[in-house]
Amino acid sequence: MSHAFDAASAAAERPAAEVPRIPGPLGVIDRATRRLNHAILVCGGLALVGACLVLSYSVLIRYVLHEPTEWQDETAVFLIVGATFLSAAGVQAKRGHVAIEALTGLLPAAANRIRLLLVDLVSLAFVAFFAWKSWSLFHEAWVDGQISQSTWGPPLFIPYLLMAAGMTLLGLQFVLQIAEALLYGPASAGRAQPKIGMGADLNTNRDDVAPLDPHAPPSARTPGAPR
């Protein structure tokens, strides 16, 4: 969906380029979604910490104090599901989802822009279907009063609601970024961040990347340094 991450070259990451400010109503929506995504990412981090604490408590109760438990496992699952799906839009806003970028350095800049737009469109179609199916499962669980088969028996509409809300936010994020890319260019759609990994190493023919200068001092000879 967005730029790939190569752990072997993480140390060589370049400073992030400044994302241009979007004007007009689209900019208002963009800034509102940024604030919402930031709040969700913070809550998602807290949810993961809570899941760790719940599971640790479960281990302590079961294997140290030898007392039965019935709510810890599903609570941790619900927290992880919520953190995963609800934070997907925030990760997409930063173009942080894992993707294969082997073609980035092999295609010209214009072809890469078209490729990235097509990837966003295909991803939007998949996410829209996922969101529709999740809302259908949520409605079915809500109407039928479905509950978990465990002894605790929490309602199943909770995880379905988290999935549906997360995929809906992710779909809206794709719509926003596609509109920004078409109206104001790819840099406005969150693609101003430099790539990391093999794509960045091979990507020497892009318009925004300067070639290496063999006569420059060693400190200035940074592969892919911006002009």
Side-chain angles (χ1 to χ4, degrees):
M1 291 183 186
S2 56
H3 72 268
F5 179 79
D6 182 3
S9 60
E13 182 177 0
R14 300 186 301 274
E18 182 179 357
V19 179
R21 184 180 179 90
I22 306 298
L26 194 63
V28 175
I29 298 174
D30 179 79
R31 290 185 288 276
T33 55
R34 286 179 186 273
R35 288 191 289 267
L36 176 61
N37 288 331
H38 177 73
I40 290 176
L41 288 173
V42 172
C43 293
L46 295 176
L48 292 178
V49 172
C52 294
L53 294 176
V54 167
L55 291 176
S56 299
Y57 173 77
S58 176
V59 172
L60 177 66
I61 291 296
R62 288 182 182 180
Y63 300 104
V64 178
L65 302 180
H66 303 289
E67 295 183 5
T69 59
E70 58 182 18
W71 59 270
Q72 287 88 348
D73 291 343
E74 283 170 312
T75 300
V77 170
F78 290 176
L79 289 172
I80 294 173
V81 168
T84 301
F85 283 90
L86 291 176
S87 63
V91 177
Q92 174 60 28
K94 299 176 180 295
R95 295 285 174 178
H97 289 292
V98 176
I100 298 174
E101 290 289 345
L103 295 177
T104 301
L106 305 178
L107 296 176
N112 267 324
R113 286 193 290 269
I114 296 175
R115 177 182 64 85
L116 292 171
L117 181 60
L118 291 177
V119 168
D120 281 354
L121 290 171
V122 173
S123 300
L124 173 60
F126 171 78
V127 169
F129 172 78
F130 201 132
W132 168 75
K133 191 63 178 177
S134 298
W135 283 116
S136 300
L137 292 172
F138 163 73
H139 180 265
E140 181 180 346
W142 178 273
V143 172
D144 296 341
Q146 297 177 1
I147 62 174
S148 172
Q149 299 299 316
S150 65
T151 55
W152 182 35
L156 288 179
F157 76 83
I158 297 176
Y160 292 145
L161 177 60
L162 295 173
M163 292 168 55
M167 289 297 98
T168 300
L169 290 175
L170 180 57
L172 293 176
Q173 183 65 44
F174 272 117
V175 171
L176 177 63
Q177 288 182 319
I178 291 171
E180 290 172 346
L182 292 175
L183 294 176
Y184 302 109
S188 300
R191 300 196 185 107
Q193 303 296 332
K195 303 299 181 182
I196 304 172
M198 185 177 70
D201 297 333
L202 296 177
N203 197 10
T204 58
N205 61 343
R206 288 176 54 186
D207 294 337
D208 57 345
V209 175
L212 291 178
D213 184 1
H215 303 291
S219 59
R221 272 182 267 164
T222 304
R227 289 193 179 103

